[in-house]
Amino acid sequence: MWDDLKTHAARVQGLSIAALFEADPRRAADFSVTVDDMLFDYSKTSIDEQSRGALCALVRDADLATRRDRMFEGHPINETEGRAVLHTALRNPEGGPVLVDGQDVMPGVREGLARMETLAWEIRGSDVRDVVNIGIGGSDLGPAMAVRALAPYHNGPRCHFVSNVDGADIADTLALCDPETTLFIVASKTFTTIETMTNARTAKAWMKKTGVDPEARLVALSSDLEKAKDFGVPEDRVLGFGDWVGGRYSMWGPIGLSLMIAIGPENFRAFLRGGRAMDQHFRSAEPQANMPVMLALVGLWHAQVLGYATRAVLPYDDRLARLPAYLQQLEMESNGKSVAMDGSALQVDSGPIVWGEPGTNGQHAFFQLIHQGTRIVPCEFMLAARGHEPELQHHHALLVANCLAQSEALMRGRTLEQAREKVAGKFSGDELERQARHRVFPGNRPSTTLIYPLLDPETLGRIIALYEHRVFVEGVVLGINSFDQWGVELGKELATALGPMVTGEAPIEGKDGSTTQLLNYVHRSGRI
Ligand code: F6P
């Protein structure tokens, strides 16, 4: 299969994307997928009819349909941890029974959502003015990204997010808050994560110092109810969820509480509805008409077939500023692996490096490299056709024009002949030639665009579910378990062992020269 795709890759090396449009007037429509009012356009890539056929064969070969159904049905598809993967159940509260180990999880999903709503209403109606979510990774990035994305829908208290164990993070946040009117949400699936527990203890100490009873100001979101209660969170303020909710897939349930408090339960339900709509589409559409499948296949084409090591996520939607960070965890923690589900070495590269920034800011930072650098970076543009600021439509028109201009420029480029014409009036002879060369754009650089009417809660839900399923499809094709994360363990173990050496409670022993030198530097710099 991969060999077949490599043959296609060799064939398209000489093809120009612009020429594909000239040869096929229907290309834009044929190489796009729509779901309701959302359009994913991948026509500005080198994928043609034949290579798309070969890509679609990948998902058939991997028996995607069966594996997808097994996920939705609650089978333990996270095989290294023996767990089901059911974040989809969280966004389908009215759905039929889903059995995990013979037990229907849906009554618990409905009860969990009802408890979240009761608590959210209570907090929104109280004297709480600031909500601080303390969590990291999946217990932070989802709600932090979504709270920012849905700012126009905020009608609750201010939300802050503290994740880093660097004391600067919590110190700067506490400086904005009044202990009398601040609520802390300790969000941790395991309730053992060192960063989160350290920050939670600091928050507790801050409350106590100012005479506030922490019990009255703490909420916990966790799979480990006992640990949350032991931490001093009253039982009715602990919201639990099953181990079948992966950390980076958890914003649809209790981990989304801060979002629900910010935008209100009705808007949160709209967010769930959006996710569910994408699930239904993913389960029913044929590969070529299936948005998550095609998004995944375009990703595989660029990373695994053509060998492009990174992909840029470029939301021309400032409120999606945290989306690249969110997707870094979602994609790289899920598919950044070297071993297939069966323990064998992966036959092709694992998932690419994901990075990005909102447009137009990125244009004034790293787009130079994307346009003229020696490496090719496939770009994923995202764009809302409308903004939320009717009085600032001229801003939005400029935003749209810039987004479309970038994908056009990446594809078209500028030839040496055109560059010569640009500088002809200013230079002549050798200097003209030299100046012209600097103004050449190779072009033929791939990009996709996801366009939607407006970034409302339902649309955000569709976008997040779209990317989740993209990760799933890529994982299935690569043979990866997208739902474990063993690669984060070693660093955690070593940090625990290093802690006493940093503080001087243990001698510096058994460390390499570099680590020893760095520890000594810290010691020389004064008390920790
Ligand atoms: O980074 C590793 C990880 O386990 C993530 O998968 C997870 O989202 C994060 O840590 C936080 O874990 P927890 O919610 O258990 O605190």
Side-chain angles (χ1 to χ4, degrees):
M1 266 297 125
W2 293 109
D3 287 345
D4 184 27
L5 278 158
K6 294 276 181 199
T7 315
H8 286 287
R11 183 177 54 75
V12 302
Q13 282 306 327
L15 280 183
S16 116
I17 303 171
L20 291 175
F21 280 95
E22 278 152 31
D24 175 10
R26 287 197 43 80
R27 179 169 174 82
D30 283 353
F31 289 80
S32 292
V33 183
T34 49
V35 180
D36 302 326
D37 54 11
M38 188 183 267
L39 172 77
F40 170 59
D41 178 341
Y42 61 97
S43 60
K44 291 194 190 93
T45 68
S46 58
I47 296 174
D48 62 4
E49 200 69 56
Q50 290 160 277
S51 44
R52 180 168 61 188
L55 286 165
C56 286
L58 280 180
V59 295
R60 273 196 303 277
D61 260 36
D63 200 8
L64 174 70
T66 305
R67 300 182 71 93
R68 175 196 63 201
D69 292 346
R70 284 176 62 76
M71 173 172 73
F72 279 91
E73 286 161 8
H75 295 276
I77 64 161
N78 174 354
E79 291 177 20
T80 55
E81 295 179 305
R83 290 178 184 165
V85 172
L86 276 177
H87 48 282
T88 51
L90 296 173
R91 51 196 186 225
N92 191 19
E94 305 314 327
V98 179
L99 302 185
V100 173
D101 298 330
Q103 288 275 338
D104 182 10
V105 299
M106 292 314 292
V109 167
R110 283 187 278 276
E111 194 205 318
L113 181 59
R115 286 193 65 208
M116 267 176 89
E117 291 183 338
T118 306
L119 194 54
W121 283 123
E122 185 194 314
I123 293 164
R124 284 161 60 86
S126 73
D127 61 353
V128 170
R129 282 213 298 266
D130 291 279
V131 170
V132 181
N133 185 86
I134 298 178
I136 196 164
S139 300
D140 164 74
L141 287 163
M145 174 275 297
V147 162
R148 174 136 187 209
L150 298 177
Y153 301 86
H154 286 199
N155 46 21
R158 288 194 301 180
C159 284
H160 312 266
F161 292 86
V162 169
S163 55
N164 204 322
V165 77
D166 185 342
D169 197 3
I170 193 156
D172 289 354
T173 304
L174 294 181
L176 303 171
C177 300
D178 174 350
E180 299 286 340
T181 54
T182 301
L183 179 96
F184 291 90
I185 298 176
V186 184
S188 176
K189 181 175 170 181
T190 56
F191 232 74
T192 57
T193 305
I194 193 89
E195 292 91 336
T196 302
M197 300 324 298
T198 305
N199 279 320
R201 278 191 289 271
T202 299
K204 247 179 144 179
W206 181 72
M207 286 187 272
K208 278 192 189 147
K209 207 167 109 191
T210 47
V212 171
D213 174 12
E215 280 217 358
R217 294 284 169 191
L218 272 177
V219 169
L221 318 171
S222 184
S223 287
D224 196 326
L225 305 183
E226 285 312 310
K227 285 205 176 72
K229 277 184 252 163
D230 290 348
F231 187 75
V233 186
E235 202 166 340
D236 62 332
R237 296 229 158 182
V238 179
L239 302 186
F241 52 97
D243 71 359
W244 38 264
V245 181
R248 53 193 174 273
Y249 300 86
S250 60
M251 65 181 298
W252 307 95
I255 293 292
L257 181 67
S258 51
L259 174 65
M260 187 189 268
I261 293 170
I263 64 173
E266 291 99 341
N267 281 323
F268 191 85
R269 287 235 179 204
F271 171 69
L272 297 185
R273 233 180 3 258
R276 187 159 69 245
M278 190 54 73
D279 291 344
Q280 282 159 354
H281 164 78
F282 179 51
R283 293 196 78 174
S284 58
E286 286 303 311
Q288 206 173 299
N290 195 308
M291 198 179 277
V293 171
M294 289 316 301
L295 182 63
L297 292 180
V298 173
L300 291 163
W301 173 250
H302 288 143
Q304 281 75 15
V305 182
L306 297 175
Y308 304 146
T310 82
R311 65 172 160 240
V313 183
L314 306 164
Y316 275 63
D317 203 326
D318 198 67
R319 294 194 176 103
L320 287 178
R322 296 289 286 154
L323 186 73
Y326 172 80
L327 291 180
Q328 280 175 333
Q329 190 202 14
L330 180 65
E331 302 204 20
M332 291 158 74
E333 196 166 83
S334 297
N335 288 346
K337 291 157 191 173
S338 313
V339 173
M341 189 74 97
D342 63 6
S344 62
L346 225 58
Q347 296 305 304
V348 289
D349 279 333
S350 62
I353 297 157
V354 179
W355 59 286
E357 268 290 312
T360 59
N361 294 8
Q363 288 175 208
H364 299 272
F366 51 78
F367 270 58
Q368 165 65 40
L369 179 148
I370 293 182
H371 283 289
Q372 286 189 316
T374 52
R375 293 170 213 273
I376 295 188
V377 180
C379 292
E380 297 189 347
F381 293 99
M382 302 173 87
L383 179 66
R386 286 188 284 124
H388 280 91
E389 291 73 30
E391 70 289 3
L392 298 176
Q393 286 201 22
H394 57 298
H395 284 249
H396 201 73
L398 280 170
L399 184 73
V400 172
N402 271 277
C403 181
L404 303 188
Q406 290 302 323
S407 67
E408 189 184 352
L410 284 167
M411 177 177 75
R412 290 208 172 285
R414 182 193 281 152
T415 63
L416 182 58
E417 195 47 48
Q418 290 165 332
R420 283 192 192 113
E421 283 165 25
K422 275 254 160 221
V423 291
K426 291 193 206 136
F427 307 102
S428 61
D430 287 353
E431 186 57 8
L432 184 147
E433 200 58 20
R434 190 174 76 88
Q435 291 286 349
R437 280 175 187 277
H438 287 277
R439 289 159 173 80
V440 170
F441 289 64
N444 214 24
R445 301 205 160 186
S447 71
T448 60
T449 303
L450 180 72
I451 188 164
Y452 41 88
L454 182 77
L455 189 64
D456 57 21
E458 198 163 335
T459 301
L460 184 69
R462 286 188 290 169
I463 293 173
I464 300 308
L466 165 67
Y467 274 88
E468 285 177 350
H469 292 321
R470 178 239 205 120
V471 166
F472 175 73
V473 175
E474 290 194 0
V476 166
V477 170
L478 296 171
I480 280 174
N481 179 5
S482 300
F483 302 103
D484 60 13
Q485 55 282 321
W486 301 111
V488 302
E489 296 299 324
L490 182 58
K492 283 189 202 172
E493 279 168 29
L494 292 179
T496 307
L498 272 162
M501 295 187 207
V502 173
T503 54
E505 288 160 285
I508 303 171
E509 277 172 358
K511 293 290 157 193
D512 57 87
S514 165
T515 308
T516 304
Q517 167 174 268
L518 296 169
L519 282 166
N520 283 327
Y521 184 102
V522 171
H523 286 180
R524 279 199 306 278
S525 299
R527 206 171 61 86
I528 288 274

